[in-house]
Amino acid sequence: MKSKKLLKALNDQIQFEFSSAYSYLAMAAYFESQNLPGFAHWMIMQYQEETAHAMKLFGYVHDRGGQVTLQAIDQPEARFKSPLDVFEKVLAHEQEVSKSINALYELAGRENDYPTVVTLQWFITEQVEEEKTAQEVLEQVRIIGNHGVSLLMLDRQLGTRGTQH
Ligand code: FEO
């Protein structure tokens, strides 16, 4: 990979994906503590997806003859007010990831690195899905409010989530 700037940005994205994974794992721990195993399972699936995103970029950088430099990951937020609070944060987080991927895509274009442009198209499509899924669960949690039985039903539904990637 010729562009040092692009290599640095890809490394930053790898850090962002791993740190996203870590944040979702912290959310899984919160849900476990709240006796909501389905929500916790959903977050663990999300953790695995983010790890897969990071590893996709990890493999790509090496395919292009670059070297990944792993960066520190901050301690994730662990205290939440409610499932609603968590899912508001999930959606906001995914919107930030989308912004970051879009900026990376723009940079790859400016640097005339077409293989990276093509590789990032997958991530752009993936982010549409990620935001949509987060939005859907957020809406459900919002509708449920403080209705305990509905929350347990949603917990059961979220517990059936499989891995996508
Ligand atoms: Fe890897 Fe949820 O973005």
Side-chain angles (χ1 to χ4, degrees):
M1 184 172 298
K2 282 202 203 99
S3 167
K4 285 209 168 63
K5 217 183 194 177
L6 186 56
L7 178 61
K8 160 85 173 71
L10 283 163
N11 269 304
D12 289 348
Q13 190 63 37
I14 290 169
Q15 191 277 348
F16 200 3
E17 300 289 347
F18 275 128
S19 100
S20 304
Y22 218 38
S23 294
Y24 292 133
L25 195 57
M27 289 173 182
Y30 163 76
F31 282 124
E32 287 288 359
S33 79
Q34 299 298 302
N35 295 316
L36 290 167
F39 277 89
H41 168 82
W42 192 96
M43 284 298 169
I44 286 171
M45 293 296 106
Q46 192 67 18
Y47 157 81
Q48 288 178 356
E49 271 198 31
E50 300 306 342
T51 306
H53 295 168
M55 291 311 295
K56 211 179 254 275
L57 292 171
F58 182 94
Y60 175 72
V61 166
H62 293 135
D63 286 349
R64 293 292 308 284
Q67 185 181 340
V68 168
T69 309
L70 292 175
Q71 300 170 26
I73 298 172
D74 288 342
Q75 183 173 13
E77 186 175 352
R79 293 163 79 102
F80 303 96
K81 291 198 231 38
S82 61
L84 178 64
D85 179 34
V86 174
F87 274 93
E88 281 173 346
K89 283 172 178 154
V90 171
L91 180 60
H93 187 85
E94 287 305 326
Q95 287 165 341
E96 285 307 308
V97 176
S98 299
K99 265 192 223 162
S100 175
I101 292 284
N102 292 344
L104 193 53
Y105 182 83
E106 277 174 32
L107 177 65
R110 280 202 305 278
E111 298 291 302
N112 297 320
D113 192 318
Y114 303 112
T116 303
V117 167
V118 171
T119 297
L120 290 173
Q121 279 167 0
W122 181 91
F123 282 88
I124 290 171
T125 309
E126 173 70 1
Q127 280 312 118
V128 172
E129 197 54 38
E130 293 272 276
E131 284 192 42
K132 181 181 142 226
T133 310
Q135 181 82 54
E136 277 171 4
V137 182
L138 174 59
E139 288 309 322
Q140 286 173 305
V141 172
R142 232 179 228 149
I143 290 166
I144 285 170
N146 289 327
H147 194 268
V149 175
S150 303
L151 190 65
L152 290 179
M153 280 168 68
L154 180 59
D155 186 64
R156 192 176 290 179
Q157 184 195 319
L158 295 180
T160 63
R161 178 181 178 181
T163 36
Q164 289 171 314
H165 307 287

